[in-house]
Amino acid sequence: MANTLQAKKRIRRNNRRAEINGARMSRIRSFIKKVETACTEGNKDEAQAALKNAQPEIARGVAKGVLHKNTAARKMSRLSKRVAAL
């Protein structure tokens, strides 16, 4: 258990940030899933529209420090490759 005031405050802050970051990651996963389901169904127009919406969301995750930039690049690359293959 934390003893100092700073450590206690840090715990409170970490819990707040974990909640925010969790929501952010969940949102990113939802956007990615929309692209993947459209690809699975073979709907190219819907997949392209979903990809266009997902890319800025993934980039925002990098800017906010939730995703590593290489992870985001890999995810975007794989998604765009799948959409292009339709």
Side-chain angles (χ1 to χ4, degrees), residues 20-43:
I20 292 166
N21 290 340
R24 201 168 269 141
M25 275 307 295
S26 175
R27 184 176 162 84
I28 290 169
R29 283 191 206 104
S30 298
F31 275 89
I32 291 172
K33 190 160 278 191
K34 285 178 189 172
V35 178
E36 289 174 343
T37 52
C39 287
T40 306
E41 293 169 359
N43 193 340

